[in-house]
Amino acid sequence: MTLDPHSIVQFLSAIHPYDTMEPAALQTLIDAFEVRTVSENEMIYALNAPLEGLFVVYRGDVEIRDEHDVPISLLGPRNSFGERGLLREGDSLTSAQAVTDTTLLILPAARFHQAMNEDPAFRRFFDRSRTEKPNKASLATTKVEALMATTPLTCPPMTDVQTAARMMRDARVSSICVADADSLQGIATIRDLSGKVVGNGLPFDTPITKIMTPDPVTLPPSAIGSDVLHMMMERRIGHIPVCQGDKLVGIVTQTDLTRFQAVSSAELVSEIAHANSAEEMAVVTRRIPQLLGQLVAGGNRHEVITRLITDVADTATRRLLALAEKQLGVPPVPYLWLACGSQGRQEQTGVSDQDNCLFLDDSATEADMPYFEALARFVCDGLDTCGYVYCPGDMMATNPRWRQPIRVWREYFAGWIKTPSPEAQMLASVMFDLRPIGGATRLFEDLQAETLRKAAANSIFVAHMVSNSLKHTPPLGLLRGFATIRSGEHKNMIDLKHNGVVPVVDLGRIYALQGKLTAVNTAARLEAAVAAGVLSGSGGQDLRDAYDLIAETRLDHQAAQVRAGVMPDNFLSPTDLSDFERSHLRDAFVVIKSLQSAVGHGRGMLS
């Protein structure tokens, strides 16, 4: 079919990234697009074929298949494809076929690369590579929306000062915003009440409007912390309402700034290391969500944030071990406490249960077991008190099965490798993420190397582990969008943990097994896999970029929940994302699915 230029302009101007481009740049780009009609079932391009350009679906449906001819995506109008190959060597990394009669817009390869070089909006959309982030949060980089209280205390204009004072007392805050239908009229503080009401002897039924500061200075949520600090210093005020247009959406105070600057992982670690009980530690660990929000707001990379949060859990565990020994006495034989799961991988977020086990020296006897049973109970109970809830699957040192001498652990691993039943695959997946936390680390070193060597040499076990790793699939809907949860509490949402992060964790574990790599952290495993030749450089970069995007989307989601006063979770509604964010997230899931397909077909490499 033929399309007139006006139709193409209308179409592209309504989708990313073209809707963010400067008009002149957009017009020159649109002039370069070619129109092509493809018949039902006709190939658009084959695998490894030279790409003529970037494709945009104007009308119809296009199926994308990976190198193993496995469908990975069905694209409809407004979707682009071909950019990954263009950004490599110019050859396609997939195949594309029209499912129905389809009309395509094609931006020639040379013009695509020119736009990538010249237009920031275009480059930002199609460049999926990681961007470097600072590793330290500061007021200069933190937005006000991350600092403010999202539910400021408010009262209507005709409220009397006594009622306002009682409201402030009950809410334990030092200011109250006077608002009419969310429109800010003024602000009154404790200083206003003491200086103007008590100091001047005003009656308690005086309207709050008589003592408030009318039309106070405000800031938008997009302002940064230093704007708050400078405004407070310049005007000698301690409370600044935050408004989005005319609507009051929050308030930020001197206390918020002080709290932000005071909370750090080092402070939490120090307080926990000197605590004398689990209850004292719990007071500290309750500030972890605040730490998470601060680290995200400061623009830190996800692996930095999760490492710092995990350090707090490690410190709590070691302190509980020390308190247990103080109460129970000197251990009868050497032992080693290990963490698995997200703590083992140093990837904890704002949502974590506990997964742990105990390795005992082979000199341990039955007479020694009551001591270690008591130690395990003390530590696991203490972790639960601190907010690291008991493992639903009972993968804890309190379970006698996971509190054994080294010789028994050797038998466990040997049995799982020899007979990879479904339970063995699950247990091996968990145990390959073990990391020593406290005790005699020598008890683990030889066992880890021995187990990796035996596991990698058993092709049947590796095959079963690969199959097990593919059970967690990215939430890609065959019909264009995301495959959301169909029913229940989280209906129409995607699980960023089990269908986002976990598939990458599983792939990293497989690469570590294939390469006999000792790294436990997922990012470290991916880097080590590339260095060892288990994963190609380009495939590793793609997977790392995809992992970064999903992990950071998950942390951004949790930080937003913390700011809203909601317990953080892993469930995100795609409707909460912009078109830009949805497009990038979906591309990340496609990368993961492609790597899963490669592993499932006996190849760890993605060229």
Side-chain angles (χ1 to χ4, degrees):
M1 66 177 293
T2 58
L3 291 175
D4 61 89
H6 179 68
S7 297
I8 298 176
V9 170
Q10 275 192 318
F11 177 76
L12 290 177
S13 297
I15 61 177
H16 288 300
Y18 314 101
D19 60 346
T20 60
M21 295 176 64
E22 292 295 328
L26 174 60
Q27 187 57 57
T28 59
L29 194 68
I30 288 175
D31 291 342
F33 271 96
E34 302 170 1
V35 180
R36 178 178 304 168
T37 299
V38 185
S39 301
E40 179 181 348
N41 296 326
E42 182 180 344
M43 290 296 297
I44 298 169
Y45 58 72
L47 178 69
N48 297 324
L51 285 167
E52 56 187 299
L54 174 74
F55 296 82
V56 183
V57 182
Y58 182 87
R59 179 180 295 125
D61 299 280
V62 175
E63 183 178 69
I64 306 297
R65 289 177 172 262
D66 68 10
E67 58 187 322
H68 304 290
D69 204 33
V70 175
I72 58 174
S73 192
L74 182 63
L75 305 178
R78 298 165 57 95
N79 289 135
S80 302
F81 59 99
E83 67 271 16
R84 283 181 57 222
L86 289 171
L87 292 172
R88 293 287 181 76
E89 301 299 323
D91 294 335
S92 61
L93 303 176
T94 59
S95 63
Q97 182 177 9
V99 177
T100 61
D101 289 344
T102 300
T103 302
L104 300 172
L105 301 180
I106 306 172
L107 182 65
R111 191 64 184 84
F112 171 83
H113 289 296
Q114 181 182 346
M116 288 291 292
N117 290 329
E118 297 178 353
D119 194 284
F122 192 88
R123 181 171 58 252
R124 186 167 58 250
F125 183 80
F126 287 110
D127 184 1
R128 276 28 177 190
S129 62
R130 293 179 291 156
T131 56
E132 294 302 316
K133 292 187 175 184
N135 288 334
K136 183 178 180 181
S138 70
L139 286 178
T141 59
T142 303
K143 290 186 177 180
V144 166
E145 64 183 2
L147 300 171
M148 69 185 189
T150 55
T151 53
L153 183 66
T154 63
C155 68
M158 293 312 296
T159 304
D160 60 73
V161 293
Q162 184 177 47
T163 300
R166 287 173 175 167
M167 292 173 66
M168 293 164 66
R169 177 199 64 193
D170 294 343
R172 296 183 180 180
V173 296
S174 56
S175 66
I176 188 167
C177 292
V178 183
D180 184 11
D182 288 333
S183 178
L184 182 66
Q185 305 295 313
I187 185 171
T189 67
I190 289 290
R191 180 180 297 179
D192 293 323
L193 291 173
S194 62
K196 297 177 182 178
V197 178
V198 178
N200 293 332
L202 295 179
F204 290 167
D205 61 356
T206 301
I208 192 72
T209 52
K210 296 294 185 181
I211 68 154
M212 72 179 188
T213 300
D215 300 320
V217 293
T218 65
L219 285 171
S222 58
I224 57 177
S226 55
D227 295 332
V228 177
L229 182 60
H230 295 163
M231 185 175 284
M232 286 181 174
M233 296 296 289
E234 179 183 352
R235 298 174 181 269
R236 296 185 179 181
I237 55 177
H239 307 76
I240 298 178
V242 182
C243 293
Q244 187 78 61
D246 294 331
K247 185 178 181 181
L248 176 69
V249 295
I251 189 166
V252 62
T253 69
Q254 285 182 332
T255 302
D256 295 322
L257 298 187
T258 302
R259 186 184 298 117
F260 174 86
Q261 293 173 313
V263 175
S264 70
S265 59
E267 179 193 18
L268 269 59
V269 163
S270 176
E271 291 183 33
I272 289 173
H274 295 90
N276 292 312
S277 68
E279 289 71 23
E280 287 186 20
M281 285 185 245
V283 174
V284 182
T285 55
R286 278 197 290 270
R287 284 150 47 200
I288 289 177
Q290 183 184 339
L291 173 65
L292 170 69
Q294 175 178 316
L295 292 171
V296 171
N300 293 274
R301 292 189 57 79
H302 70 91
E303 65 265 33
V304 174
I305 296 172
T306 54
R307 172 63 182 270
L308 294 175
I309 290 175
T310 304
D311 285 347
V312 177
D314 290 355
T315 304
T317 304
R318 284 190 287 268
R319 184 55 181 160
L320 287 166
L321 287 169
L323 292 174
E325 289 188 20
K326 184 177 180 180
Q327 177 176 302
L328 300 172
V330 177
V333 299
Y335 73 87
L336 177 63
W337 186 281
L338 302 99
C340 43
S342 59
Q343 184 183 0
R345 297 190 303 274
Q346 296 179 299
E347 294 167 4
Q348 287 188 313
T349 67
V351 187
S352 295
D353 58 6
Q354 55 175 291
D355 299 278
N356 45 61
C357 60
L358 260 178
F359 283 17
L360 308 179
D361 189 86
D362 278 338
S363 62
T365 65
E366 283 300 318
D368 300 325
M369 294 307 172
Y371 176 95
F372 292 108
E373 180 182 1
L375 180 137
R377 177 58 57 192
F378 185 98
V379 176
C380 289
D381 286 350
L383 289 172
D384 181 70
T385 298
C386 291
Y388 304 101
V389 298
Y390 299 121
C391 173
D394 203 22
M395 185 70 68
M396 298 181 295
T398 48
N399 184 338
R401 188 180 185 186
W402 312 127
R403 188 178 66 244
Q404 294 291 336
I406 291 296
R407 61 179 181 275
V408 176
W409 282 102
R410 279 198 166 87
E411 292 172 1
Y412 284 167
F413 281 105
W416 296 335
I417 294 169
K418 183 178 180 181
T419 310
S421 66
E423 182 192 35
Q425 296 167 40
M426 182 274 292
L427 294 174
S429 294
V430 173
M431 293 303 175
F432 276 125
D433 293 348
L434 284 174
R435 182 172 60 88
I437 302 297
T441 55
R442 63 174 176 79
L443 298 178
F444 180 63
E445 292 169 353
D446 292 343
L447 178 60
Q448 182 189 35
E450 173 188 326
T451 301
L452 280 172
R453 186 172 60 254
K454 289 181 177 179
N458 188 320
S459 59
I460 295 177
F461 174 77
V462 173
H464 279 281
M465 287 292 289
V466 168
S467 176
N468 186 63
S469 73
L470 302 181
K471 292 179 180 177
H472 293 106
T473 57
L476 287 169
L478 189 57
L479 297 175
R480 305 183 185 94
F482 295 107
T484 57
I485 298 170
R486 295 184 177 181
S487 61
E489 179 185 358
H490 304 296
K491 183 179 179 181
N492 298 326
M493 297 183 178
I494 55 177
D495 186 340
L496 289 173
K497 177 181 178 181
H498 290 103
N499 299 113
V501 172
V502 169
V504 185
V505 170
D506 290 340
L507 286 171
R509 192 182 296 118
I510 293 302
Y511 299 141
L513 177 60
Q514 292 174 334
K516 298 186 284 292
L517 309 173
T518 58
V520 175
N521 175 266
T522 299
R525 279 173 167 168
L526 298 182
E527 292 175 3
V530 171
V534 177
L535 179 63
S536 72
S538 57
Q541 186 65 63
D542 275 351
L543 186 56
R544 182 63 196 275
D545 290 342
Y547 178 51
D548 287 345
L549 178 63
I550 296 167
E552 287 170 7
T553 299
R554 180 190 183 198
L555 288 179
D556 287 343
H557 166 67
Q558 292 187 0
Q561 290 179 306
V562 170
R563 291 196 299 271
V566 178
M567 285 295 293
D569 62 27
N570 296 300
F571 300 96
L572 173 70
S573 172
T575 58
D576 292 339
L577 301 173
S578 67
D579 286 348
F580 178 89
E581 292 167 328
R582 281 196 296 272
S583 175
H584 277 241
L585 187 60
R586 195 176 189 285
D587 284 349
F589 291 144
V590 168
V591 167
I592 295 170
K593 189 169 182 178
S594 297
L595 265 295
Q596 286 184 326
S597 178
V599 168
H601 283 79
R603 295 179 64 245
M605 305 284 282
L606 177 66
S607 300

